[in-house]
Amino acid sequence: MIRDAQDSVCQAIEAADGGGKFKEDVWSRPGGGGGISRVLQDGAVWEKAGVNVSVVYGMMPPEAYRAAKAAATDQKPGPIPFFAAGISSVLHPKNPFAPTLHFNYRYFETDAPKDAPGAPRQWWFGGGTDLTPAYIFEEDVKHFHSVQKSACDKFDRTFYPRFKKWCDDYFYIKHRGERRGLGGIFFDDLNDYDQEMLLSFATECANSVVPAYIPIIEKRKDTPFTDQHKAWQQLRRGRYVEFNLVYDRGTTFGLKTGGRIESILVSLPLTARWEYDHKPQEGSEEWKLLDCLHQPKGVALISFSGSCLWNIVPECSIQLPFCFLEIFSPSFPAIES
């Protein structure tokens, strides 16, 4: 599954770029396993696009196990055998009006420690897909989330609202008090369904990446922009770096298990920017994004069908109705489906 997903995403990325080609590195991990890293850099459309697959195994220390598990209370006293297979990607376009995308889907299992004979083997699936724009286009956000919902609904209609909220909560930059982006889906430690069903679900989610994202890129990649737009994109890229290096559990796990550094840090953009005490002008498009990520707003919902009452960006006036009209704060008009 992960090799097929890597091939299909890379083909779509190259086609959208119109000339750029991925560089491929096949690597081995000293502790066991290896992977294939593909990076397209300085293309016509992509500043940096990385699509990695890995199958690794060996022994991991307790701090790596803590990073691998969503449940903070789930601890192990010493090194534990593990196996992990997954695909991970971050796509950074050049155009400030084209959003960054991240997706990751993985399978993980651990054997019982040798000093605990008879203990059950643990396994779980994790992953998600999320969108991080520098500028908000409501139709893009609606399209992206509708594809995520469609993928989830094929398996369990509770998945989308559950995993959408998990995504909102996970991609939160605590020291900034703001979310990294406009969400998507995220799940971890998922093992309360049949294993084959969850593999099919992860495969469906991975297969939804191209239809969810590439139409947005095709629409935005040639939009004219100014130096001001580019500077704002670079500031938002700085936030992306902060989250990935400070909070992201995948980065922590890779570093704690002796992973390949170039592959672990491929998620970072080529360029980013930090300005002292930067504050966008109130009412500007930049302010609208930051306001959406940072400040909670009250939202009134009017349901036509009495169902589907969930929010896409719960701290923001932007909503994605699938069967209802919503009344927003004045920042944005309502979207009607």
XYZ file of all heavy atoms in Angstrom, residues 161-174 178-181 183-186 243 247 312 314-315:
244
model
N -16.100 13.321 12.099
C -16.125 14.299 13.193
C -15.131 13.970 14.304
O -14.536 14.866 14.897
C -17.574 14.241 13.695
C -18.124 12.968 13.174
C -17.409 12.684 11.892
N -14.927 12.690 14.555
C -13.990 12.274 15.598
C -12.553 12.599 15.223
O -11.800 13.193 16.011
C -14.150 10.769 15.824
C -13.191 10.140 16.804
C -13.468 8.646 16.860
N -12.417 7.891 17.517
C -12.317 6.569 17.491
N -13.213 5.862 16.823
N -11.338 5.948 18.126
N -12.164 12.270 13.999
C -10.777 12.468 13.580
C -10.498 13.908 13.179
O -9.353 14.367 13.252
C -10.425 11.521 12.445
C -10.541 10.059 12.812
C -10.744 9.096 11.841
C -10.457 9.651 14.142
C -10.856 7.756 12.179
C -10.563 8.310 14.497
C -10.763 7.364 13.507
N -11.522 14.627 12.777
C -11.361 16.055 12.499
C -11.046 16.816 13.779
O -10.137 17.653 13.812
C -12.622 16.590 11.836
C -12.577 18.042 11.411
C -13.080 19.016 12.457
C -14.428 18.638 12.977
N -14.758 19.478 14.177
N -11.760 16.498 14.855
C -11.474 17.149 16.135
C -10.084 16.765 16.634
O -9.350 17.601 17.177
C -12.522 16.764 17.174
C -12.292 17.465 18.522
C -13.323 17.071 19.555
C -13.121 17.883 20.843
N -11.754 17.733 21.421
N -9.706 15.513 16.458
C -8.386 15.047 16.877
C -7.301 15.827 16.140
O -6.282 16.221 16.713
C -8.260 13.554 16.577
C -7.267 12.807 17.419
C -6.181 13.309 18.062
C -7.275 11.401 17.694
N -5.496 12.311 18.711
C -6.141 11.126 18.506
C -8.098 10.343 17.322
C -5.842 9.834 18.945
C -7.791 9.067 17.768
C -6.688 8.821 18.564
N -7.535 16.083 14.858
C -6.591 16.866 14.063
C -6.476 18.290 14.600
O -5.373 18.822 14.751
C -7.048 16.876 12.598
S -5.924 17.720 11.467
N -7.608 18.910 14.880
C -7.599 20.270 15.437
C -6.786 20.328 16.729
O -6.024 21.266 16.965
C -9.025 20.748 15.714
C -9.829 20.946 14.453
O -9.224 21.218 13.398
O -11.072 20.828 14.511
N -6.981 19.319 17.569
C -6.319 19.317 18.875
C -4.823 19.002 18.755
O -4.003 19.546 19.508
C -6.980 18.295 19.800
C -8.399 18.682 20.171
O -8.744 19.875 20.036
O -9.164 17.791 20.591
N -4.468 18.114 17.828
C -3.068 17.693 17.725
C -2.192 18.791 17.131
O -1.117 19.090 17.661
C -2.952 16.426 16.878
C -1.513 15.984 16.689
C -0.804 15.393 17.737
C -0.848 16.184 15.486
C 0.517 15.004 17.590
C 0.478 15.799 15.328
C 1.157 15.210 16.376
O 2.461 14.840 16.219
N -2.641 19.403 16.031
C -1.802 20.397 15.352
C -2.007 21.783 15.972
O -2.481 22.721 15.332
C -2.105 20.414 13.849
C -1.655 19.150 13.160
C -2.573 18.185 12.793
C -0.315 18.930 12.912
C -2.160 17.015 12.171
C 0.115 17.764 12.299
C -0.815 16.801 11.931
N -1.658 21.868 17.227
C -1.825 23.081 18.015
C -0.463 23.518 18.528
O 0.257 22.737 19.154
C -2.790 22.824 19.171
C -3.075 24.033 20.025
C -3.856 25.073 19.538
C -2.561 24.142 21.320
C -4.126 26.187 20.321
C -2.819 25.251 22.097
C -3.607 26.268 21.589
O -3.864 27.378 22.357
N -0.093 24.760 18.242
C 1.193 25.311 18.664
C 0.973 25.973 20.024
O 0.531 27.119 20.114
C 1.737 26.315 17.636
C 1.740 25.694 16.234
C 3.144 26.770 18.020
C 2.073 26.680 15.124
N 1.279 25.254 21.076
C 0.901 25.696 22.417
C 1.534 27.027 22.790
O 0.875 27.896 23.382
C 1.303 24.624 23.441
C 0.583 23.306 23.254
C 1.085 22.262 24.242
C 0.442 20.912 23.987
N 0.974 19.852 24.898
N -2.134 28.942 18.951
C -2.831 28.906 17.674
C -2.646 27.557 17.007
O -1.682 26.836 17.269
C -2.315 30.011 16.745
C -0.859 29.846 16.338
C -0.299 31.054 15.609
O -0.509 32.176 16.104
O 0.348 30.866 14.566
N -3.573 27.207 16.155
C -3.451 25.991 15.370
C -2.494 26.218 14.206
O -2.337 27.336 13.730
C -4.809 25.558 14.856
C -5.700 25.001 15.963
C -7.046 24.559 15.434
N -7.763 23.831 16.468
C -8.471 24.402 17.432
N -8.546 25.721 17.473
N -9.081 23.677 18.342
N -1.886 25.114 13.756
C -0.944 25.219 12.650
C -1.649 25.529 11.343
O -1.110 26.263 10.497
C -0.145 23.918 12.516
C 0.987 24.003 11.519
C 1.783 22.718 11.461
N 1.104 21.657 10.730
C 1.643 20.466 10.459
N 2.851 20.180 10.912
N 0.970 19.552 9.799
N -2.826 24.979 11.140
C -3.515 25.159 9.864
C -5.013 25.013 10.017
O -5.568 25.195 11.102
N -6.792 22.250 9.479
C -7.260 20.939 9.868
C -7.397 19.931 8.746
O -6.898 20.100 7.636
N -8.082 18.870 9.068
C -8.260 17.722 8.208
C -8.689 16.572 9.079
O -9.632 16.698 9.861
N -7.980 15.445 8.994
C -8.240 14.319 9.888
C -6.923 13.850 10.500
O -5.861 14.021 9.916
C -8.939 13.150 9.172
C -8.089 12.639 8.001
C -10.339 13.542 8.715
C -8.615 11.366 7.361
N -7.017 13.279 11.683
C -5.854 12.716 12.364
C -6.356 11.654 13.328
O -7.377 11.838 14.001
C -5.097 13.806 13.133
C -3.913 13.285 13.907
C -2.676 13.122 13.293
C -4.033 12.939 15.252
C -1.584 12.635 14.002
C -2.951 12.447 15.967
C -1.715 12.296 15.338
N 6.197 23.978 15.052
C 5.415 22.806 15.465
C 6.195 21.521 15.234
O 6.264 20.652 16.112
C 4.083 22.743 14.707
C 3.286 21.519 15.071
C 2.441 21.544 16.166
C 3.416 20.338 14.353
C 1.737 20.401 16.541
C 2.714 19.192 14.721
C 1.874 19.232 15.819
N 6.808 19.940 18.783
C 5.675 19.133 19.236
C 5.437 17.844 18.448
O 4.802 16.924 18.974
C 4.386 19.959 19.186
C 4.433 21.185 20.043
C 4.443 22.455 19.479
C 4.479 21.090 21.435
C 4.498 23.591 20.259
C 4.535 22.219 22.231
C 4.537 23.474 21.642
O 4.590 24.588 22.418
N -15.755 22.626 10.919
C -14.461 22.281 10.349
C -13.341 22.973 11.105
O -12.336 22.383 11.422
C -14.419 22.667 8.860
C -15.408 21.803 8.103
C -13.034 22.492 8.290
C -15.194 20.335 8.280
N -13.193 24.786 14.471
C -14.068 25.128 15.579
C -13.743 26.438 16.259
O -14.598 27.012 16.904
C -13.886 23.949 16.542
C -12.575 23.366 16.193
C -12.416 23.584 14.720
N -12.522 26.950 16.126
C -12.169 28.208 16.761
C -12.361 29.396 15.829
O -11.920 30.491 16.117
C -10.705 28.160 17.211
C -10.402 27.046 18.187
C -11.110 27.226 19.504
O -11.236 28.380 19.934
O -11.538 26.235 20.093
